[in-house]
Amino acid sequence: MSVPGSNVLPSIRSAAWIVVLLCLCDVPTAAQPKVDFNREVHPILASRCFGCHSQAKRSGGLSLGTYEDALAGGRSGATIRPGNAAGSLMLDRITGRTQPRMPPIGSPLNEREVATISAWIDEGARATPRSAPAKAKWEAPLALTRPPVPRQRWKNWVSPVDRFVAAYLVATRAPAPRPITDAQFARRAYLDIVGLLPDPAELREFVGSRASNKRKILTSKLLADNTKYAEHWISFWNDLLRNDEGTTYHSEEASRKSITEWLLASLKENRR
């Protein structure tokens, strides 16, 4: 005698297994990375970007010569954000979303080249398709706040910078720094303000002076030399503004020429 319903159990079990297998087949799996940096991305960078961003030139502090260089970024910070092509400076530059477009001279990257670089970044900017995703470069928060100036003072240290140093010394129980000699002060003042060592005769005159405010007088004298001050500090401003002397940056809409001449005049005239 057969058990009622026993003849349908195998079919039910079979149907259940079929459903399970179908579900397993329908489960979406993460797409495997396909773009290889050395074979597909690096050749694009080498042919289109090395004119300004090789290991030898490093315009803006950025080299794209190697995989490690590309991830390191330049003075503007990270140029690649692994997993986020849309938020990467490299894509902003090569597509023209951020001016000046790169490369600055010649035709822009074509759609295939842009798509290759974009896909590589979105896949994690990996060294190879089988490598782990690259780690994002640490970036400082964009929102900066002014810290409160400590109340701590150290003897006659009254400027905000002095108070921060004094607070640190007290918190770390560090010994009081010894005052530097007049010769050391002159050397630092000259190098910081005009980028040159003091003339031996001027140094001897300063060291031998008995004026109580001679350090203030020396600092004011150096700051009053607008030409030497400008010639020294323009290099820092050029780096900060990513201004390569003698270079013209072209884009489809406009062009930006070197501002070195204007910048040097502005520093000499102490423009605000």
Side-chain angles (χ1 to χ4, degrees):
M1 182 178 70
S2 62
V3 178
S6 61
N7 58 338
V8 301
L9 288 178
S11 61
I12 293 176
R13 290 171 182 168
S14 298
W17 276 111
I18 292 173
V19 171
V20 171
L21 291 173
L22 288 175
C23 290
L24 289 175
C25 292
D26 289 339
V27 173
T29 58
Q32 294 298 314
K34 298 179 180 180
V35 183
D36 186 281
F37 175 82
N38 285 326
R39 290 193 298 105
E40 300 175 75
V41 178
H42 189 265
I44 299 174
L45 302 180
S47 63
R48 304 306 307 277
C49 306
F50 277 16
C52 297
H53 300 293
S54 65
Q55 286 191 306
K57 188 165 185 180
R58 295 179 182 268
S59 179
L62 172 65
S63 167
L64 299 175
T66 67
Y67 173 76
E68 292 75 15
D69 288 345
L71 293 180
R75 286 193 289 270
S76 295
T79 188
I80 294 169
R81 291 179 176 171
N84 183 13
S88 296
L89 180 59
M90 178 177 285
L91 262 293
D92 288 342
R93 291 295 194 189
I94 65 177
T95 60
R97 291 196 300 259
T98 299
Q99 293 294 326
R101 176 186 58 79
M102 296 295 173
I105 299 175
S107 60
L109 272 66
N110 59 45
E111 292 183 3
R112 180 189 63 79
E113 292 170 327
V114 173
T116 298
I117 294 175
S118 179
W120 171 67
I121 296 176
D122 278 336
E123 289 177 359
R126 302 165 190 255
T128 71
R130 295 186 178 182
S131 301
K135 294 182 179 180
K137 179 180 178 181
W138 180 88
E139 296 181 88
L142 295 179
L144 301 179
T145 57
R146 183 187 296 274
V149 178
R151 294 182 179 181
Q152 183 70 50
R153 295 191 183 189
W154 191 289
K155 297 182 180 180
N156 60 340
W157 295 10
V158 295
S159 75
V161 174
D162 289 339
R163 293 187 183 184
F164 277 105
V165 175
Y168 171 81
L169 293 175
V170 172
T172 58
R173 298 182 179 180
R178 296 179 180 179
I180 61 175
T181 65
D182 287 337
Q184 290 173 323
F185 177 87
R187 177 186 174 88
R188 294 181 185 181
Y190 270 84
L191 289 175
D192 287 346
I193 299 174
V194 299
L196 299 170
L197 290 171
D199 178 82
E202 293 178 343
L203 179 59
R204 286 193 295 270
E205 180 182 355
F206 172 75
V207 173
S209 172
R210 295 183 177 277
S212 60
N213 63 338
K214 64 181 182 180
R215 295 190 177 188
K216 182 177 180 180
I217 294 174
L218 176 63
T219 303
S220 299
K221 173 187 174 183
L222 293 174
L223 289 173
D225 192 335
N226 293 336
T227 299
K228 289 183 179 179
Y229 172 84
E231 290 174 349
H232 174 52
W233 279 92
I234 191 172
S235 60
F236 300 104
W237 281 101
N238 268 334
D239 288 343
L240 180 65
L241 299 175
R242 302 180 65 197
N243 177 52
D244 290 340
E245 186 173 2
T247 301
T248 301
Y249 300 91
H250 296 279
S251 66
E252 295 180 358
E253 294 82 9
S255 63
R256 180 172 76 86
K257 296 183 178 180
S258 170
I259 62 171
T260 297
E261 185 177 348
W262 171 87
L263 184 57
L264 182 61
S266 299
L267 291 171
K268 286 182 178 180
E269 298 171 15
N270 197 25
R271 295 178 187 172
R272 294 178 181 268

